Amino acid sequence: MKQMKRMLALILALVMILGVLPMSVLAAEGTATGDFTGGASDTDYLFFATDRHTNTSILKTMIDAMEKNIGENKLEYLGLGGDMVGSGNSHPTYNSSTVLSEITGATSSLNATNVDIVAGIHDMNVNDDAGIVLPYSGGGAKIYEGDKYYVYGVPESCISGAVSNVDPETEANAFVTWANGANIDKSKVIIVLSHYPLHQRRNDNNGASYWATALNKVAVGDDTTIDRNVIFFWGHNHTGESSADTNVYYVAPNGSISVQGGSSNQTIYFSYANAGYLNAKSSATLLSITDTQIKFEKYVNSSVSTTNTVTRV
């Protein structure tokens, strides 16, 4: 009888202990779908693309495809590099809330606090009623900060020099000053989102050489040793694209590009990536960041077309 009582007491004690332990202690560790270096909380998933123009359904299509592939995870940021409307020489008026509603209609994880549009020329007449646009005629600025990264927006005029009060050299220098500021966490990835590219193609990105120099300076400082992860996302060229553009859709650090107004074979110490042309190519980039890696997955027509990976420094 005493042994039976002791057994019952042990069972009761075990039940009480199990009742207060968190389920995470009892469950076996696992890897979430789409997570390439750890559990779901280890990876930040970000969406980047440009040039939506007249395609009002493509954002939902691409978001659906990405969130299907990352399983239980959700996108935590979405950045659009300009030209959300218009074509040719038209720059129609539109409400930024219209674009935002296409995004929020596709996922519950995105809203006005973690969505940005960095203006191209077709966005010059936007009514920013959602408060998500970095304007065409304004300067560059930090537009978002995550646990592992910053997003810095560069409106078209910051590279084209087409607006009298926005000087590309001044803007590029301001980016360096910001990136090296005392309050900036130097261990975080810096993602620069631009409408314009840096390489020579359409001869309208006249300030590109200033930005190539600035990005290199942030990535390596005063030498050629990469000590910070810097990414430059670009768009714009879909209407003047040649086959040579495909060679620079993704250029890894220590690669080279032909910079507009600069060197024809300039070494770059940052990742140079086409964000994706939503309208013309049905493409976008899923950027995944962990403590050790950065992965670029280019989606075309709702499936992954190319993948590139960079080690965190």
Side-chain angles (χ1 to χ4, degrees):
M1 189 67 172
K2 288 183 178 179
Q3 288 181 341
M4 181 65 70
K5 287 183 177 178
R6 288 195 187 102
M7 182 65 70
L8 289 173
L10 286 171
I11 292 171
L12 181 60
L14 182 59
V15 170
M16 292 175 66
I17 291 170
L18 292 176
V20 299
L21 281 175
M23 289 305 295
S24 59
V25 174
L26 303 176
E29 290 186 357
T31 301
T33 302
D35 189 355
F36 58 102
T37 60
S41 62
D42 296 332
T43 306
D44 295 343
Y45 294 98
L46 291 68
F47 176 116
F48 291 98
T50 69
D51 297 277
R52 166 187 169 274
H53 290 286
T54 58
N55 192 332
T56 59
S57 63
I58 189 62
L59 280 165
K60 176 173 170 46
T61 298
M62 302 308 290
I63 290 169
D64 286 349
M66 290 183 186
E67 291 206 329
K68 179 180 178 181
N69 283 351
I70 60 179
E72 66 184 31
N73 302 283
K74 292 290 186 180
L75 294 168
E76 75 162 54
Y77 178 77
L78 185 147
L80 297 170
D83 280 8
M84 295 296 100
V85 296
S87 62
N89 294 320
S90 71
H91 314 305
T93 300
Y94 73 98
N95 294 328
S96 62
S97 60
T98 301
V99 177
L100 182 63
S101 67
E102 295 172 18
I103 297 165
T104 57
T107 179
S108 61
S109 67
L110 298 172
N111 52 60
T113 67
N114 57 355
V115 170
D116 288 299
I117 297 171
V118 176
I121 192 169
H122 290 294
D123 305 298
M124 63 167 53
N125 293 320
V126 61
N127 171 35
D128 187 20
D129 58 336
I132 60 173
V133 179
L134 191 62
Y136 173 75
S137 59
K142 184 194 84 171
I143 53 178
Y144 194 79
E145 180 177 357
D147 291 340
K148 302 179 180 69
Y149 61 92
Y150 297 102
V151 183
Y152 191 95
V154 180
E156 180 178 315
S157 58
C158 291
I159 296 181
S160 69
V163 178
S164 61
N165 65 315
V166 181
D167 175 62
E169 183 176 12
T170 300
E171 290 295 326
N173 290 337
F175 164 70
V176 175
T177 300
W178 167 81
N180 291 330
N183 296 325
I184 298 300
D185 184 344
K186 308 302 190 296
S187 69
K188 290 187 177 184
V189 179
I190 293 179
I191 303 162
V192 177
L193 178 58
S194 168
H195 181 67
Y196 268 4
L198 302 179
H199 68 279
Q200 192 278 329
R201 180 60 54 219
R202 293 174 66 178
N203 299 315
D204 52 6
N205 50 340
N206 299 318
S209 62
Y210 300 122
W211 280 95
T213 298
L215 290 157
N216 273 346
K217 188 171 184 179
V218 171
V220 300
D222 295 324
D223 54 29
T224 58
T225 301
I226 297 174
D227 50 26
R228 296 175 74 178
N229 292 114
V230 179
I231 299 167
F232 185 88
F233 277 120
W234 55 274
H236 178 62
N237 279 3
H238 62 98
T239 57
E241 189 174 67
S242 74
S243 59
D245 262 352
T246 60
N247 297 326
V248 291
Y249 271 177
Y250 176 80
V251 180
N254 287 309
S256 63
I257 61 175
S258 178
V259 177
Q260 176 70 40
S263 170
S264 61
N265 191 34
Q266 182 167 336
T267 299
I268 59 173
Y269 301 107
F270 52 92
S271 298
Y272 186 71
N274 172 256
Y277 301 126
L278 288 167
N279 184 52
K281 305 289 185 180
S282 297
S283 60
T285 297
L286 175 65
L287 188 73
S288 309
I289 305 175
T290 71
D291 290 334
T292 58
Q293 289 182 308
I294 305 166
K295 182 163 68 173
F296 301 76
E297 290 178 287
K298 176 65 76 66
Y299 279 66
V300 179
N301 294 320
S302 301
S303 61
V304 178
S305 174
T306 57
T307 301
N308 294 282
T309 303
V310 175
T311 300
R312 293 282 303 273
V313 296

